[in-house]
Amino acid sequence: MPRNVALVADRISWEERELIRTAPDFGLTVEWVNDESLCLGHPDAPSVRDYDALLLRSRSYTRGGLIATLAEEAGVPVLNSAGAVHACENKAVLRTVLRTAGVPVPDFRLVLSRKDFAKSLDELELPLVLKPVFGGMGKRVTLIRHADTAQSVYDYVEDLGHAFEQACLVEPYLGGGTSVRCLVVGHELVGAAEFAGGGTDWRNNAALGNNSRAVAHDPDVLKIVEGVVGRLGPGIYGVDLFGTPDGYVVNEVNHAPGFRAVASATGADIPSAVARYVQELIT
């Protein structure tokens, strides 16, 4: 008898369609459940009680983390775990957690005020990247090349309405035109692709439609992936790396990664890897 899995998401994109299509090959029935319709909070969680597992694909870290927390309370297996989603949600927390575990991350400064921002400019060399602590898909990430424009850039941060939005990181610009997205399922690196910025956009992010190519499973990359999984627990992650003269560093870890570009570049059957992992989790 097929096991029932709720694919919890705010929309259906290519990744979700492929997961639903592939699921029956692994004895699973995957049903899309809108993440706005669960109304969790009751300890028995009636809206998810009929499912053997929840596969979180909400783009919002906040929604994903809250849903995972309440579903776990009700005893429903969730991918990814609430702890992993909450760690990935906050870039400062994630980097601290990984650095404490010995996983290399970029140098950074937490900026909560203009005073913090000025100190970060004194301590780190230009060019620098200013990015929100909470956010993804390359949104509001700003490259600061010149000191005489830096304070004007920060004006826009001060004009944001909430401290939640104003919390930022400042870090050295390490992109150099490319980044590596590692698609992890369980403990395994399923595929890795290098993304290069296109046109005049300096950012390299799969969500921006940049060019990509497959890259070999470098031993250093495998070691970093092992460290990330060892700290966050096995799950389904997009681990984004930047290369530096001293080796790779983890830029961020995505809790609900898009994987179409990695699948296209590498030929990896990522939907089958995810379905197999879910099957193993609940049987």
Side-chain angles (χ1 to χ4, degrees), residues 180-193 215-226 228-229 235-241 248 262 266 268-270 273:
V180 175
R181 161 62 62 92
C182 302
L183 205 294
V184 178
V185 179
H187 294 87
E188 180 186 358
L189 174 59
V190 177
V215 296
H217 290 191
D218 185 290
D220 291 336
V221 171
L222 292 171
K223 183 178 180 181
I224 289 175
V225 167
E226 181 181 338
V228 171
V229 173
I236 302 163
Y237 303 115
V239 182
D240 291 339
L241 309 178
Y248 288 107
V262 174
T266 65
D269 188 354
I270 297 171

Short mmCIF file of all heavy atoms in Angstrom, two decimals, residues 180-193 215-226 228-229 235-241 248 262 266 268-270 273:
data_model
loop_
_atom_site.label_atom_id
_atom_site.label_comp_id
_atom_site.label_asym_id
_atom_site.label_seq_id
_atom_site.Cartn_x
_atom_site.Cartn_y
_atom_site.Cartn_z
N VAL A 180 29.50 27.28 -6.24
CA VAL A 180 29.18 25.87 -6.43
C VAL A 180 27.97 25.52 -5.58
O VAL A 180 27.96 25.77 -4.37
CB VAL A 180 30.37 24.96 -6.05
CG1 VAL A 180 29.97 23.49 -6.15
CG2 VAL A 180 31.56 25.24 -6.95
N ARG A 181 26.92 24.98 -6.20
CA ARG A 181 25.74 24.49 -5.48
C ARG A 181 25.85 22.97 -5.36
O ARG A 181 25.96 22.26 -6.36
CB ARG A 181 24.47 24.88 -6.23
CG ARG A 181 23.21 24.09 -5.90
CD ARG A 181 22.73 24.18 -4.46
NE ARG A 181 22.35 25.52 -4.06
CZ ARG A 181 21.10 26.01 -4.16
NH1 ARG A 181 20.15 25.28 -4.70
NH2 ARG A 181 20.83 27.23 -3.71
N CYS A 182 25.86 22.50 -4.12
CA CYS A 182 25.90 21.06 -3.83
C CYS A 182 24.50 20.62 -3.42
O CYS A 182 23.95 21.16 -2.45
CB CYS A 182 26.89 20.77 -2.71
SG CYS A 182 28.57 21.30 -3.04
N LEU A 183 23.95 19.66 -4.11
CA LEU A 183 22.63 19.15 -3.77
C LEU A 183 22.81 17.88 -2.94
O LEU A 183 23.34 16.88 -3.42
CB LEU A 183 21.83 18.87 -5.05
CG LEU A 183 20.30 18.91 -4.94
CD1 LEU A 183 19.73 17.80 -4.09
CD2 LEU A 183 19.84 20.28 -4.42
N VAL A 184 22.38 17.95 -1.70
CA VAL A 184 22.58 16.87 -0.73
C VAL A 184 21.24 16.22 -0.43
O VAL A 184 20.24 16.91 -0.16
CB VAL A 184 23.20 17.41 0.57
CG1 VAL A 184 23.38 16.30 1.59
CG2 VAL A 184 24.53 18.10 0.27
N VAL A 185 21.22 14.89 -0.45
CA VAL A 185 20.03 14.12 -0.06
C VAL A 185 20.47 13.09 0.97
O VAL A 185 21.30 12.23 0.66
CB VAL A 185 19.36 13.44 -1.26
CG1 VAL A 185 18.14 12.64 -0.80
CG2 VAL A 185 18.95 14.47 -2.32
N GLY A 186 19.90 13.19 2.17
CA GLY A 186 20.34 12.30 3.25
C GLY A 186 21.73 12.69 3.68
O GLY A 186 21.98 13.80 4.13
N HIS A 187 22.68 11.77 3.52
CA HIS A 187 24.09 12.05 3.77
C HIS A 187 24.87 12.25 2.48
O HIS A 187 26.07 12.52 2.51
CB HIS A 187 24.75 10.89 4.55
CG HIS A 187 24.24 10.70 5.94
ND1 HIS A 187 23.14 9.92 6.23
CD2 HIS A 187 24.69 11.18 7.12
CE1 HIS A 187 22.94 9.93 7.54
NE2 HIS A 187 23.85 10.69 8.10
N GLU A 188 24.21 12.09 1.34
CA GLU A 188 24.91 11.94 0.06
C GLU A 188 24.91 13.22 -0.76
O GLU A 188 23.88 13.90 -0.89
CB GLU A 188 24.25 10.82 -0.75
CG GLU A 188 24.89 10.57 -2.11
CD GLU A 188 24.13 9.55 -2.94
OE1 GLU A 188 23.11 9.02 -2.45
OE2 GLU A 188 24.55 9.30 -4.08
N LEU A 189 26.07 13.53 -1.35
CA LEU A 189 26.15 14.58 -2.36
C LEU A 189 25.69 13.99 -3.69
O LEU A 189 26.39 13.18 -4.29
CB LEU A 189 27.59 15.09 -2.47
CG LEU A 189 27.87 16.10 -3.58
CD1 LEU A 189 27.00 17.35 -3.42
CD2 LEU A 189 29.34 16.48 -3.60
N VAL A 190 24.50 14.38 -4.13
CA VAL A 190 23.90 13.81 -5.34
C VAL A 190 24.42 14.48 -6.60
O VAL A 190 24.59 13.85 -7.64
CB VAL A 190 22.36 13.89 -5.26
CG1 VAL A 190 21.72 13.36 -6.54
CG2 VAL A 190 21.85 13.12 -4.05
N GLY A 191 24.66 15.78 -6.52
CA GLY A 191 25.16 16.51 -7.69
C GLY A 191 25.74 17.84 -7.27
O GLY A 191 25.32 18.43 -6.27
N ALA A 192 26.74 18.31 -8.03
CA ALA A 192 27.35 19.61 -7.76
C ALA A 192 27.52 20.35 -9.08
O ALA A 192 27.98 19.76 -10.07
CB ALA A 192 28.69 19.45 -7.06
N ALA A 193 27.13 21.61 -9.09
CA ALA A 193 27.24 22.41 -10.31
C ALA A 193 27.80 23.78 -9.97
O ALA A 193 27.53 24.34 -8.91
CB ALA A 193 25.87 22.56 -10.98
N VAL A 215 30.43 19.90 -11.89
CA VAL A 215 31.79 19.86 -11.37
C VAL A 215 32.00 18.54 -10.65
O VAL A 215 31.07 17.92 -10.15
CB VAL A 215 32.08 21.03 -10.41
CG1 VAL A 215 32.00 22.36 -11.13
CG2 VAL A 215 31.11 21.03 -9.23
N ALA A 216 33.25 18.10 -10.63
CA ALA A 216 33.59 16.82 -10.00
C ALA A 216 33.37 16.90 -8.49
O ALA A 216 33.42 17.98 -7.89
CB ALA A 216 35.04 16.47 -10.30
N HIS A 217 33.15 15.73 -7.89
CA HIS A 217 32.97 15.65 -6.44
C HIS A 217 34.34 15.70 -5.76
O HIS A 217 34.93 14.69 -5.39
CB HIS A 217 32.20 14.39 -6.08
CG HIS A 217 30.77 14.43 -6.51
ND1 HIS A 217 29.83 13.51 -6.09
CD2 HIS A 217 30.10 15.28 -7.31
CE1 HIS A 217 28.66 13.79 -6.63
NE2 HIS A 217 28.80 14.86 -7.37
N ASP A 218 34.83 16.91 -5.61
CA ASP A 218 36.13 17.16 -5.01
C ASP A 218 36.17 16.65 -3.57
O ASP A 218 35.20 16.82 -2.82
CB ASP A 218 36.37 18.68 -5.05
CG ASP A 218 37.74 19.08 -4.57
OD1 ASP A 218 37.99 18.96 -3.36
OD2 ASP A 218 38.55 19.53 -5.40
N PRO A 219 37.27 16.01 -3.14
CA PRO A 219 37.36 15.52 -1.75
C PRO A 219 37.14 16.62 -0.72
O PRO A 219 36.53 16.37 0.33
CB PRO A 219 38.78 14.96 -1.67
CG PRO A 219 39.13 14.59 -3.07
CD PRO A 219 38.45 15.60 -3.94
N ASP A 220 37.60 17.83 -1.01
CA ASP A 220 37.39 18.94 -0.07
C ASP A 220 35.91 19.30 0.02
O ASP A 220 35.41 19.64 1.10
CB ASP A 220 38.20 20.16 -0.50
CG ASP A 220 39.70 19.96 -0.34
OD1 ASP A 220 40.08 19.10 0.48
OD2 ASP A 220 40.46 20.64 -1.04
N VAL A 221 35.22 19.23 -1.12
CA VAL A 221 33.78 19.49 -1.12
C VAL A 221 33.05 18.42 -0.32
O VAL A 221 32.15 18.72 0.48
CB VAL A 221 33.24 19.58 -2.55
CG1 VAL A 221 31.72 19.62 -2.56
CG2 VAL A 221 33.82 20.78 -3.28
N LEU A 222 33.41 17.18 -0.54
CA LEU A 222 32.77 16.08 0.18
C LEU A 222 32.98 16.22 1.68
O LEU A 222 32.08 15.94 2.48
CB LEU A 222 33.32 14.74 -0.31
CG LEU A 222 32.96 14.35 -1.74
CD1 LEU A 222 33.74 13.11 -2.17
CD2 LEU A 222 31.47 14.10 -1.87
N LYS A 223 34.16 16.67 2.09
CA LYS A 223 34.43 16.85 3.51
C LYS A 223 33.55 17.95 4.09
O LYS A 223 33.03 17.82 5.21
CB LYS A 223 35.91 17.19 3.71
CG LYS A 223 36.30 17.33 5.17
CD LYS A 223 37.79 17.63 5.31
CE LYS A 223 38.18 17.78 6.79
NZ LYS A 223 39.64 18.08 6.93
N ILE A 224 33.37 19.03 3.35
CA ILE A 224 32.51 20.11 3.82
C ILE A 224 31.06 19.64 3.92
O ILE A 224 30.37 19.92 4.91
CB ILE A 224 32.62 21.33 2.88
CG1 ILE A 224 33.99 21.99 3.06
CG2 ILE A 224 31.50 22.33 3.14
CD1 ILE A 224 34.25 23.13 2.10
N VAL A 225 30.58 18.93 2.90
CA VAL A 225 29.22 18.41 2.94
C VAL A 225 29.03 17.49 4.14
O VAL A 225 28.01 17.56 4.85
CB VAL A 225 28.89 17.67 1.63
CG1 VAL A 225 27.61 16.85 1.76
CG2 VAL A 225 28.77 18.67 0.48
N GLU A 226 30.01 16.66 4.40
CA GLU A 226 29.94 15.77 5.57
C GLU A 226 29.85 16.58 6.86
O GLU A 226 29.09 16.23 7.77
CB GLU A 226 31.19 14.88 5.60
CG GLU A 226 31.22 13.91 6.76
CD GLU A 226 32.50 13.07 6.76
OE1 GLU A 226 33.13 12.94 5.69
OE2 GLU A 226 32.86 12.54 7.83
N VAL A 228 28.61 19.68 7.19
CA VAL A 228 27.29 20.32 7.24
C VAL A 228 26.24 19.33 7.71
O VAL A 228 25.43 19.61 8.62
CB VAL A 228 26.92 20.91 5.87
CG1 VAL A 228 25.46 21.37 5.87
CG2 VAL A 228 27.84 22.06 5.51
N VAL A 229 26.22 18.14 7.10
CA VAL A 229 25.23 17.12 7.47
C VAL A 229 25.45 16.66 8.91
O VAL A 229 24.49 16.42 9.65
CB VAL A 229 25.29 15.94 6.49
CG1 VAL A 229 24.39 14.79 6.96
CG2 VAL A 229 24.89 16.38 5.09
N GLY A 235 19.40 15.35 5.56
CA GLY A 235 18.23 16.03 5.02
C GLY A 235 18.43 16.34 3.56
O GLY A 235 19.28 15.74 2.89
N ILE A 236 17.65 17.27 3.07
CA ILE A 236 17.70 17.68 1.67
C ILE A 236 18.14 19.14 1.66
O ILE A 236 17.39 20.03 2.06
CB ILE A 236 16.33 17.50 1.00
CG1 ILE A 236 15.88 16.04 1.10
CG2 ILE A 236 16.38 17.95 -0.47
CD1 ILE A 236 14.41 15.83 0.84
N TYR A 237 19.36 19.39 1.20
CA TYR A 237 19.95 20.72 1.32
C TYR A 237 20.58 21.15 -0.01
O TYR A 237 21.09 20.34 -0.77
CB TYR A 237 21.08 20.72 2.37
CG TYR A 237 20.68 20.27 3.74
CD1 TYR A 237 21.21 19.10 4.28
CD2 TYR A 237 19.78 21.00 4.51
CE1 TYR A 237 20.86 18.67 5.55
CE2 TYR A 237 19.43 20.59 5.79
CZ TYR A 237 19.97 19.42 6.31
OH TYR A 237 19.62 19.00 7.56
N GLY A 238 20.55 22.46 -0.20
CA GLY A 238 21.39 23.08 -1.21
C GLY A 238 22.51 23.80 -0.49
O GLY A 238 22.26 24.81 0.18
N VAL A 239 23.72 23.27 -0.58
CA VAL A 239 24.87 23.86 0.12
C VAL A 239 25.66 24.68 -0.90
O VAL A 239 26.19 24.12 -1.87
CB VAL A 239 25.77 22.77 0.74
CG1 VAL A 239 26.93 23.40 1.48
CG2 VAL A 239 24.96 21.87 1.67
N ASP A 240 25.72 25.98 -0.69
CA ASP A 240 26.37 26.88 -1.64
C ASP A 240 27.77 27.23 -1.16
O ASP A 240 27.94 27.71 -0.02
CB ASP A 240 25.55 28.16 -1.82
CG ASP A 240 24.24 27.89 -2.55
OD1 ASP A 240 24.15 26.86 -3.24
OD2 ASP A 240 23.31 28.70 -2.42
N LEU A 241 28.74 27.03 -2.03
CA LEU A 241 30.15 27.23 -1.68
C LEU A 241 30.76 28.33 -2.54
O LEU A 241 30.40 28.51 -3.71
CB LEU A 241 30.95 25.95 -1.92
CG LEU A 241 30.43 24.65 -1.29
CD1 LEU A 241 31.34 23.50 -1.70
CD2 LEU A 241 30.34 24.78 0.22
N TYR A 248 37.41 25.97 -0.15
CA TYR A 248 35.99 26.33 -0.20
C TYR A 248 35.48 26.77 1.16
O TYR A 248 35.95 26.30 2.21
CB TYR A 248 35.15 25.15 -0.68
CG TYR A 248 35.30 24.83 -2.15
CD1 TYR A 248 36.01 23.71 -2.57
CD2 TYR A 248 34.73 25.65 -3.12
CE1 TYR A 248 36.14 23.40 -3.91
CE2 TYR A 248 34.86 25.36 -4.47
CZ TYR A 248 35.56 24.23 -4.86
OH TYR A 248 35.69 23.94 -6.19
N VAL A 262 20.87 22.12 -11.19
CA VAL A 262 21.86 21.09 -10.88
C VAL A 262 21.55 19.81 -11.64
O VAL A 262 22.44 19.15 -12.18
CB VAL A 262 21.91 20.83 -9.36
CG1 VAL A 262 22.84 19.66 -9.05
CG2 VAL A 262 22.38 22.07 -8.62
N THR A 266 24.18 18.26 -14.36
CA THR A 266 24.88 17.03 -13.98
C THR A 266 24.25 15.75 -14.51
O THR A 266 24.90 14.72 -14.56
CB THR A 266 24.94 16.92 -12.45
OG1 THR A 266 23.60 16.77 -11.93
CG2 THR A 266 25.59 18.15 -11.83
N ALA A 268 22.00 14.25 -12.87
CA ALA A 268 21.62 13.49 -11.68
C ALA A 268 20.11 13.40 -11.58
O ALA A 268 19.39 14.38 -11.82
CB ALA A 268 22.19 14.16 -10.44
N ASP A 269 19.61 12.23 -11.20
CA ASP A 269 18.18 12.02 -11.02
C ASP A 269 17.82 12.39 -9.58
O ASP A 269 17.65 11.53 -8.71
CB ASP A 269 17.82 10.56 -11.31
CG ASP A 269 16.31 10.31 -11.32
OD1 ASP A 269 15.55 11.25 -10.98
OD2 ASP A 269 15.90 9.18 -11.65
N ILE A 270 17.72 13.67 -9.34
CA ILE A 270 17.50 14.16 -7.99
C ILE A 270 16.12 13.80 -7.45
O ILE A 270 15.99 13.40 -6.28
CB ILE A 270 17.76 15.67 -7.93
CG1 ILE A 270 19.24 15.94 -8.26
CG2 ILE A 270 17.42 16.25 -6.55
CD1 ILE A 270 19.58 17.39 -8.46
N ALA A 273 16.33 10.38 -6.06
CA ALA A 273 17.13 10.34 -4.83
C ALA A 273 16.30 10.82 -3.65
O ALA A 273 16.37 10.24 -2.55
CB ALA A 273 18.38 11.20 -5.00
#
